[in-house]
Amino acid sequence: MVKLDLGSVVLRRMRLDDIEAVKALIKDGCEGTENRLLLHLLTRPLALFTLAILSSILRCIMHSFILALVIPVFVAIVYLKLTLPRSTGILGARRPYWDYVGSTYRAERDSELENPYTRMAKPVGGKVKTQERAKRRKKEEKGKEGEKHDMEDLQDRARVAGEVWVADCDGEVIASLSREPVHRSGVTRMCRLVVQSWYRKEGVGSLLVQCLANREKERGSRRVYAHVPFPSRVGEVFFRKVGFRLQGEVADGEEEKNKDFEEPQKGWLGYPVTKVFVKDL
């Protein structure tokens, strides 16, 4: 476990040179979650009933009871393994794919969130570490302005790709959070919150979520939705801790009056694979 100084963390938009690091971070965060989600889908009543029917049909054709039982389950697992990340987004992403390049559009012009811990960062040589790192990053960015990407194409991609925000500690991406586009005014959707294993339980995930929520509130959002993979107990506990509640739950002893419900993502046979948490700003 690494003791993290939250004041030294920079919360900023993902840039082109961060894409591979963010991909690796998300892949690491998917480990275990995917298998739990597969088990959840395969043990639903309708799924079990469908597999039983297929096994019965195969039993009439084949002479092996074991093969008739195993083949439908094996095919279902292979199908889900191949399609699940694209159809549901393992960490709660709503879109069938994520355009990394589109997510970096305008990252240099709207790049940082206000970190309330920054003023407590330890000074180095009379200057704050985060200020020095910001200057280094600006110099590096100037040399990358020659990246050849058609601006109109980037704009089109950005409309559907949303934004990816990362937590940067000394040039290392240690957490990421996706803000997906929503075509409803006053609403923000978050998903794919991942924290590097060495920095979990240090408060960086909470910091990223709360600072992005504060930014969205300043921009006029009145409600934030967070999509969490269905079997993720850790994700559920985390979002409750930072002030979210499960959509539809009674809030403060009063019945839910806001009818602006977010549809959970659905997977195989129409079963929901994400839980939706909500926070009013």
PDB file of all heavy atoms in Angstrom, residues 7 10 13 15 24 29 37-38 64 75 110 129 131 135-137 149 161 175 178 208 218 228 236 242 250 263 277:
ATOM      1  N   GLY A   7      -2.717  16.038  -2.053  1.00  0.00           N
ATOM      2  CA  GLY A   7      -2.391  17.375  -2.539  1.00  0.00           C
ATOM      3  C   GLY A   7      -1.491  17.364  -3.763  1.00  0.00           C
ATOM      4  O   GLY A   7      -1.412  18.346  -4.492  1.00  0.00           O
ATOM      5  N   VAL A  10      -3.031  15.566  -9.543  1.00  0.00           N
ATOM      6  CA  VAL A  10      -3.635  16.467 -10.519  1.00  0.00           C
ATOM      7  C   VAL A  10      -4.801  15.737 -11.177  1.00  0.00           C
ATOM      8  O   VAL A  10      -4.646  14.622 -11.683  1.00  0.00           O
ATOM      9  CB  VAL A  10      -2.621  16.900 -11.593  1.00  0.00           C
ATOM     10  CG1 VAL A  10      -3.302  17.750 -12.662  1.00  0.00           C
ATOM     11  CG2 VAL A  10      -1.472  17.670 -10.955  1.00  0.00           C
ATOM     12  N   ARG A  13      -8.140  16.036 -17.741  1.00  0.00           N
ATOM     13  CA  ARG A  13      -8.661  15.270 -18.861  1.00  0.00           C
ATOM     14  C   ARG A  13      -7.589  14.329 -19.405  1.00  0.00           C
ATOM     15  O   ARG A  13      -6.397  14.645 -19.382  1.00  0.00           O
ATOM     16  CB  ARG A  13      -9.114  16.203 -19.978  1.00  0.00           C
ATOM     17  CG  ARG A  13     -10.429  16.912 -19.735  1.00  0.00           C
ATOM     18  CD  ARG A  13     -11.627  16.042 -20.042  1.00  0.00           C
ATOM     19  NE  ARG A  13     -11.698  15.676 -21.448  1.00  0.00           N
ATOM     20  CZ  ARG A  13     -12.244  16.430 -22.399  1.00  0.00           C
ATOM     21  NH1 ARG A  13     -12.770  17.610 -22.090  1.00  0.00           N
ATOM     22  NH2 ARG A  13     -12.277  16.017 -23.648  1.00  0.00           N
ATOM     23  N   ARG A  15      -5.287  12.690 -22.091  1.00  0.00           N
ATOM     24  CA  ARG A  15      -4.667  13.168 -23.315  1.00  0.00           C
ATOM     25  C   ARG A  15      -4.289  11.984 -24.195  1.00  0.00           C
ATOM     26  O   ARG A  15      -4.357  10.830 -23.768  1.00  0.00           O
ATOM     27  CB  ARG A  15      -3.422  14.009 -22.992  1.00  0.00           C
ATOM     28  CG  ARG A  15      -3.721  15.188 -22.054  1.00  0.00           C
ATOM     29  CD  ARG A  15      -2.499  16.077 -21.911  1.00  0.00           C
ATOM     30  NE  ARG A  15      -2.757  17.157 -20.973  1.00  0.00           N
ATOM     31  CZ  ARG A  15      -2.323  17.184 -19.718  1.00  0.00           C
ATOM     32  NH1 ARG A  15      -1.604  16.180 -19.254  1.00  0.00           N
ATOM     33  NH2 ARG A  15      -2.602  18.198 -18.927  1.00  0.00           N
ATOM     34  N   ALA A  24      -4.786   0.041 -19.982  1.00  0.00           N
ATOM     35  CA  ALA A  24      -4.209  -0.956 -19.073  1.00  0.00           C
ATOM     36  C   ALA A  24      -4.870  -0.892 -17.696  1.00  0.00           C
ATOM     37  O   ALA A  24      -5.116  -1.925 -17.064  1.00  0.00           O
ATOM     38  CB  ALA A  24      -2.700  -0.732 -18.952  1.00  0.00           C
ATOM     39  N   GLY A  29      -8.744  -3.308 -13.906  1.00  0.00           N
ATOM     40  CA  GLY A  29      -9.940  -3.176 -13.084  1.00  0.00           C
ATOM     41  C   GLY A  29     -11.027  -4.161 -13.445  1.00  0.00           C
ATOM     42  O   GLY A  29     -11.900  -4.477 -12.621  1.00  0.00           O
ATOM     43  N   LEU A  37     -19.792 -11.119 -13.269  1.00  0.00           N
ATOM     44  CA  LEU A  37     -20.939 -10.731 -14.091  1.00  0.00           C
ATOM     45  C   LEU A  37     -21.433 -11.906 -14.940  1.00  0.00           C
ATOM     46  O   LEU A  37     -22.638 -12.116 -15.101  1.00  0.00           O
ATOM     47  CB  LEU A  37     -20.556  -9.554 -14.982  1.00  0.00           C
ATOM     48  CG  LEU A  37     -21.676  -8.875 -15.773  1.00  0.00           C
ATOM     49  CD1 LEU A  37     -22.828  -8.495 -14.864  1.00  0.00           C
ATOM     50  CD2 LEU A  37     -21.154  -7.663 -16.505  1.00  0.00           C
ATOM     51  N   LEU A  38     -20.497 -12.699 -15.482  1.00  0.00           N
ATOM     52  CA  LEU A  38     -20.878 -13.892 -16.234  1.00  0.00           C
ATOM     53  C   LEU A  38     -21.657 -14.867 -15.353  1.00  0.00           C
ATOM     54  O   LEU A  38     -22.678 -15.421 -15.772  1.00  0.00           O
ATOM     55  CB  LEU A  38     -19.627 -14.579 -16.792  1.00  0.00           C
ATOM     56  CG  LEU A  38     -18.885 -13.885 -17.935  1.00  0.00           C
ATOM     57  CD1 LEU A  38     -17.613 -14.638 -18.272  1.00  0.00           C
ATOM     58  CD2 LEU A  38     -19.769 -13.771 -19.157  1.00  0.00           C
ATOM     59  N   SER A  64     -24.315 -38.674 -25.313  1.00  0.00           N
ATOM     60  CA  SER A  64     -23.586 -38.345 -24.077  1.00  0.00           C
ATOM     61  C   SER A  64     -24.351 -37.281 -23.288  1.00  0.00           C
ATOM     62  O   SER A  64     -24.555 -36.163 -23.770  1.00  0.00           O
ATOM     63  CB  SER A  64     -22.178 -37.842 -24.405  1.00  0.00           C
ATOM     64  OG  SER A  64     -21.528 -37.384 -23.240  1.00  0.00           O
ATOM     65  N   VAL A  75     -20.794 -22.758 -24.856  1.00  0.00           N
ATOM     66  CA  VAL A  75     -21.109 -21.819 -25.933  1.00  0.00           C
ATOM     67  C   VAL A  75     -21.587 -20.484 -25.355  1.00  0.00           C
ATOM     68  O   VAL A  75     -21.218 -19.407 -25.842  1.00  0.00           O
ATOM     69  CB  VAL A  75     -22.178 -22.406 -26.874  1.00  0.00           C
ATOM     70  CG1 VAL A  75     -22.668 -21.358 -27.863  1.00  0.00           C
ATOM     71  CG2 VAL A  75     -21.619 -23.611 -27.620  1.00  0.00           C
ATOM     72  N   ASP A 110      -9.608  22.359 -21.507  1.00  0.00           N
ATOM     73  CA  ASP A 110     -10.487  22.169 -20.348  1.00  0.00           C
ATOM     74  C   ASP A 110      -9.946  20.987 -19.560  1.00  0.00           C
ATOM     75  O   ASP A 110     -10.575  19.959 -19.441  1.00  0.00           O
ATOM     76  CB  ASP A 110     -11.917  21.900 -20.846  1.00  0.00           C
ATOM     77  CG  ASP A 110     -12.906  21.804 -19.697  1.00  0.00           C
ATOM     78  OD1 ASP A 110     -12.576  22.298 -18.612  1.00  0.00           O
ATOM     79  OD2 ASP A 110     -13.981  21.225 -19.878  1.00  0.00           O
ATOM     80  N   LYS A 129       4.829  21.128  -5.693  1.00  0.00           N
ATOM     81  CA  LYS A 129       5.142  20.077  -6.665  1.00  0.00           C
ATOM     82  C   LYS A 129       4.183  20.092  -7.846  1.00  0.00           C
ATOM     83  O   LYS A 129       4.591  19.901  -8.987  1.00  0.00           O
ATOM     84  CB  LYS A 129       5.087  18.715  -5.974  1.00  0.00           C
ATOM     85  CG  LYS A 129       6.223  18.459  -5.023  1.00  0.00           C
ATOM     86  CD  LYS A 129       5.995  17.179  -4.239  1.00  0.00           C
ATOM     87  CE  LYS A 129       5.974  15.975  -5.147  1.00  0.00           C
ATOM     88  NZ  LYS A 129       5.797  14.725  -4.396  1.00  0.00           N
ATOM     89  N   GLN A 131       2.651  22.536  -9.193  1.00  0.00           N
ATOM     90  CA  GLN A 131       2.920  23.647 -10.103  1.00  0.00           C
ATOM     91  C   GLN A 131       4.084  23.308 -11.030  1.00  0.00           C
ATOM     92  O   GLN A 131       4.046  23.592 -12.225  1.00  0.00           O
ATOM     93  CB  GLN A 131       3.233  24.918  -9.312  1.00  0.00           C
ATOM     94  CG  GLN A 131       2.035  25.452  -8.536  1.00  0.00           C
ATOM     95  CD  GLN A 131       2.391  26.667  -7.710  1.00  0.00           C
ATOM     96  OE1 GLN A 131       3.565  26.908  -7.426  1.00  0.00           O
ATOM     97  NE2 GLN A 131       1.394  27.421  -7.306  1.00  0.00           N
ATOM     98  N   LYS A 135       3.945  22.781 -15.230  1.00  0.00           N
ATOM     99  CA  LYS A 135       4.807  23.457 -16.187  1.00  0.00           C
ATOM    100  C   LYS A 135       5.494  22.460 -17.111  1.00  0.00           C
ATOM    101  O   LYS A 135       5.627  22.690 -18.310  1.00  0.00           O
ATOM    102  CB  LYS A 135       5.865  24.293 -15.444  1.00  0.00           C
ATOM    103  CG  LYS A 135       5.283  25.510 -14.742  1.00  0.00           C
ATOM    104  CD  LYS A 135       6.367  26.293 -14.027  1.00  0.00           C
ATOM    105  CE  LYS A 135       5.778  27.506 -13.314  1.00  0.00           C
ATOM    106  NZ  LYS A 135       6.830  28.265 -12.591  1.00  0.00           N
ATOM    107  N   ARG A 136       5.945  21.326 -16.517  1.00  0.00           N
ATOM    108  CA  ARG A 136       6.575  20.301 -17.343  1.00  0.00           C
ATOM    109  C   ARG A 136       5.595  19.748 -18.364  1.00  0.00           C
ATOM    110  O   ARG A 136       5.944  19.527 -19.521  1.00  0.00           O
ATOM    111  CB  ARG A 136       7.108  19.162 -16.457  1.00  0.00           C
ATOM    112  CG  ARG A 136       8.314  19.517 -15.629  1.00  0.00           C
ATOM    113  CD  ARG A 136       9.040  18.260 -15.178  1.00  0.00           C
ATOM    114  NE  ARG A 136       8.148  17.305 -14.530  1.00  0.00           N
ATOM    115  CZ  ARG A 136       7.918  17.273 -13.225  1.00  0.00           C
ATOM    116  NH1 ARG A 136       8.500  18.171 -12.447  1.00  0.00           N
ATOM    117  NH2 ARG A 136       7.111  16.370 -12.709  1.00  0.00           N
ATOM    118  N   ARG A 137       4.360  19.539 -17.916  1.00  0.00           N
ATOM    119  CA  ARG A 137       3.356  18.976 -18.812  1.00  0.00           C
ATOM    120  C   ARG A 137       3.059  19.926 -19.978  1.00  0.00           C
ATOM    121  O   ARG A 137       2.861  19.510 -21.103  1.00  0.00           O
ATOM    122  CB  ARG A 137       2.065  18.680 -18.057  1.00  0.00           C
ATOM    123  CG  ARG A 137       2.174  17.635 -16.981  1.00  0.00           C
ATOM    124  CD  ARG A 137       2.507  16.284 -17.533  1.00  0.00           C
ATOM    125  NE  ARG A 137       1.443  15.756 -18.368  1.00  0.00           N
ATOM    126  CZ  ARG A 137       1.476  14.540 -18.887  1.00  0.00           C
ATOM    127  NH1 ARG A 137       2.512  13.751 -18.666  1.00  0.00           N
ATOM    128  NH2 ARG A 137       0.491  14.113 -19.646  1.00  0.00           N
ATOM    129  N   HIS A 149      -4.640  14.712 -36.574  1.00  0.00           N
ATOM    130  CA  HIS A 149      -6.017  14.229 -36.421  1.00  0.00           C
ATOM    131  C   HIS A 149      -6.951  15.274 -37.018  1.00  0.00           C
ATOM    132  O   HIS A 149      -6.840  16.453 -36.710  1.00  0.00           O
ATOM    133  CB  HIS A 149      -6.368  14.019 -34.946  1.00  0.00           C
ATOM    134  CG  HIS A 149      -5.633  12.877 -34.335  1.00  0.00           C
ATOM    135  ND1 HIS A 149      -5.934  11.561 -34.591  1.00  0.00           N
ATOM    136  CD2 HIS A 149      -4.603  12.858 -33.459  1.00  0.00           C
ATOM    137  CE1 HIS A 149      -5.120  10.789 -33.913  1.00  0.00           C
ATOM    138  NE2 HIS A 149      -4.305  11.549 -33.212  1.00  0.00           N
ATOM    139  N   ALA A 161     -18.307  10.127 -27.588  1.00  0.00           N
ATOM    140  CA  ALA A 161     -17.312   9.485 -26.726  1.00  0.00           C
ATOM    141  C   ALA A 161     -17.325  10.015 -25.307  1.00  0.00           C
ATOM    142  O   ALA A 161     -16.907   9.331 -24.384  1.00  0.00           O
ATOM    143  CB  ALA A 161     -15.916   9.673 -27.326  1.00  0.00           C
ATOM    144  N   ALA A 175      -5.764   6.680 -11.576  1.00  0.00           N
ATOM    145  CA  ALA A 175      -7.210   6.460 -11.538  1.00  0.00           C
ATOM    146  C   ALA A 175      -7.836   7.112 -12.756  1.00  0.00           C
ATOM    147  O   ALA A 175      -7.274   8.058 -13.328  1.00  0.00           O
ATOM    148  CB  ALA A 175      -7.823   7.034 -10.258  1.00  0.00           C
ATOM    149  N   SER A 178     -14.977   7.976 -16.370  1.00  0.00           N
ATOM    150  CA  SER A 178     -15.584   8.403 -17.631  1.00  0.00           C
ATOM    151  C   SER A 178     -16.857   9.190 -17.364  1.00  0.00           C
ATOM    152  O   SER A 178     -17.676   8.800 -16.530  1.00  0.00           O
ATOM    153  CB  SER A 178     -15.902   7.174 -18.499  1.00  0.00           C
ATOM    154  OG  SER A 178     -16.532   7.561 -19.693  1.00  0.00           O
ATOM    155  N   LEU A 208     -11.803  12.079  -7.103  1.00  0.00           N
ATOM    156  CA  LEU A 208     -12.100  12.228  -8.529  1.00  0.00           C
ATOM    157  C   LEU A 208     -13.598  12.375  -8.767  1.00  0.00           C
ATOM    158  O   LEU A 208     -14.039  13.250  -9.528  1.00  0.00           O
ATOM    159  CB  LEU A 208     -11.548  11.023  -9.285  1.00  0.00           C
ATOM    160  CG  LEU A 208     -11.559  11.072 -10.819  1.00  0.00           C
ATOM    161  CD1 LEU A 208     -10.870  12.330 -11.336  1.00  0.00           C
ATOM    162  CD2 LEU A 208     -10.885   9.826 -11.387  1.00  0.00           C
ATOM    163  N   GLU A 218     -21.455  23.267 -11.043  1.00  0.00           N
ATOM    164  CA  GLU A 218     -21.189  24.639 -11.471  1.00  0.00           C
ATOM    165  C   GLU A 218     -21.678  24.887 -12.895  1.00  0.00           C
ATOM    166  O   GLU A 218     -22.030  26.011 -13.246  1.00  0.00           O
ATOM    167  CB  GLU A 218     -19.687  24.924 -11.375  1.00  0.00           C
ATOM    168  CG  GLU A 218     -19.164  24.959  -9.948  1.00  0.00           C
ATOM    169  CD  GLU A 218     -17.656  25.129  -9.896  1.00  0.00           C
ATOM    170  OE1 GLU A 218     -17.035  25.171 -10.995  1.00  0.00           O
ATOM    171  OE2 GLU A 218     -17.107  25.216  -8.788  1.00  0.00           O
ATOM    172  N   VAL A 228     -22.890   1.174 -12.061  1.00  0.00           N
ATOM    173  CA  VAL A 228     -21.986   0.255 -11.378  1.00  0.00           C
ATOM    174  C   VAL A 228     -22.313  -1.171 -11.820  1.00  0.00           C
ATOM    175  O   VAL A 228     -23.485  -1.535 -11.878  1.00  0.00           O
ATOM    176  CB  VAL A 228     -22.138   0.375  -9.840  1.00  0.00           C
ATOM    177  CG1 VAL A 228     -21.197  -0.575  -9.129  1.00  0.00           C
ATOM    178  CG2 VAL A 228     -21.897   1.808  -9.396  1.00  0.00           C
ATOM    179  N   GLU A 236     -20.810  -0.622  -4.973  1.00  0.00           N
ATOM    180  CA  GLU A 236     -22.030  -0.166  -4.313  1.00  0.00           C
ATOM    181  C   GLU A 236     -21.705   0.533  -2.996  1.00  0.00           C
ATOM    182  O   GLU A 236     -22.225   1.608  -2.698  1.00  0.00           O
ATOM    183  CB  GLU A 236     -22.944  -1.363  -4.062  1.00  0.00           C
ATOM    184  CG  GLU A 236     -24.251  -0.997  -3.392  1.00  0.00           C
ATOM    185  CD  GLU A 236     -25.214  -2.164  -3.279  1.00  0.00           C
ATOM    186  OE1 GLU A 236     -25.008  -3.170  -3.987  1.00  0.00           O
ATOM    187  OE2 GLU A 236     -26.166  -2.060  -2.490  1.00  0.00           O
ATOM    188  N   VAL A 242     -19.888   8.052  -0.794  1.00  0.00           N
ATOM    189  CA  VAL A 242     -19.660   9.414  -1.310  1.00  0.00           C
ATOM    190  C   VAL A 242     -20.974  10.153  -1.573  1.00  0.00           C
ATOM    191  O   VAL A 242     -20.991  11.162  -2.284  1.00  0.00           O
ATOM    192  CB  VAL A 242     -18.798   9.395  -2.592  1.00  0.00           C
ATOM    193  CG1 VAL A 242     -17.405   8.896  -2.291  1.00  0.00           C
ATOM    194  CG2 VAL A 242     -19.441   8.560  -3.696  1.00  0.00           C
ATOM    195  N   VAL A 250     -35.914   5.266  -1.181  1.00  0.00           N
ATOM    196  CA  VAL A 250     -36.505   6.407  -0.494  1.00  0.00           C
ATOM    197  C   VAL A 250     -35.383   7.301   0.008  1.00  0.00           C
ATOM    198  O   VAL A 250     -34.425   6.842   0.619  1.00  0.00           O
ATOM    199  CB  VAL A 250     -37.384   5.933   0.678  1.00  0.00           C
ATOM    200  CG1 VAL A 250     -37.900   7.119   1.479  1.00  0.00           C
ATOM    201  CG2 VAL A 250     -38.543   5.101   0.160  1.00  0.00           C
ATOM    202  N   GLU A 263     -32.093   4.425 -17.290  1.00  0.00           N
ATOM    203  CA  GLU A 263     -32.288   3.012 -17.631  1.00  0.00           C
ATOM    204  C   GLU A 263     -30.989   2.250 -17.387  1.00  0.00           C
ATOM    205  O   GLU A 263     -29.947   2.592 -17.934  1.00  0.00           O
ATOM    206  CB  GLU A 263     -32.703   2.876 -19.098  1.00  0.00           C
ATOM    207  CG  GLU A 263     -33.025   1.464 -19.518  1.00  0.00           C
ATOM    208  CD  GLU A 263     -34.327   0.950 -18.933  1.00  0.00           C
ATOM    209  OE1 GLU A 263     -35.160   1.786 -18.503  1.00  0.00           O
ATOM    210  OE2 GLU A 263     -34.499  -0.268 -18.911  1.00  0.00           O
ATOM    211  N   PHE A 277     -26.871   4.366  -9.534  1.00  0.00           N
ATOM    212  CA  PHE A 277     -26.856   5.167  -8.311  1.00  0.00           C
ATOM    213  C   PHE A 277     -27.031   6.629  -8.692  1.00  0.00           C
ATOM    214  O   PHE A 277     -26.608   7.059  -9.772  1.00  0.00           O
ATOM    215  CB  PHE A 277     -25.564   4.958  -7.529  1.00  0.00           C
ATOM    216  CG  PHE A 277     -25.484   3.616  -6.857  1.00  0.00           C
ATOM    217  CD1 PHE A 277     -25.137   2.476  -7.565  1.00  0.00           C
ATOM    218  CD2 PHE A 277     -25.818   3.491  -5.511  1.00  0.00           C
ATOM    219  CE1 PHE A 277     -25.105   1.235  -6.949  1.00  0.00           C
ATOM    220  CE2 PHE A 277     -25.786   2.252  -4.898  1.00  0.00           C
ATOM    221  CZ  PHE A 277     -25.422   1.119  -5.607  1.00  0.00           C
TER     222      PHE A 277
END
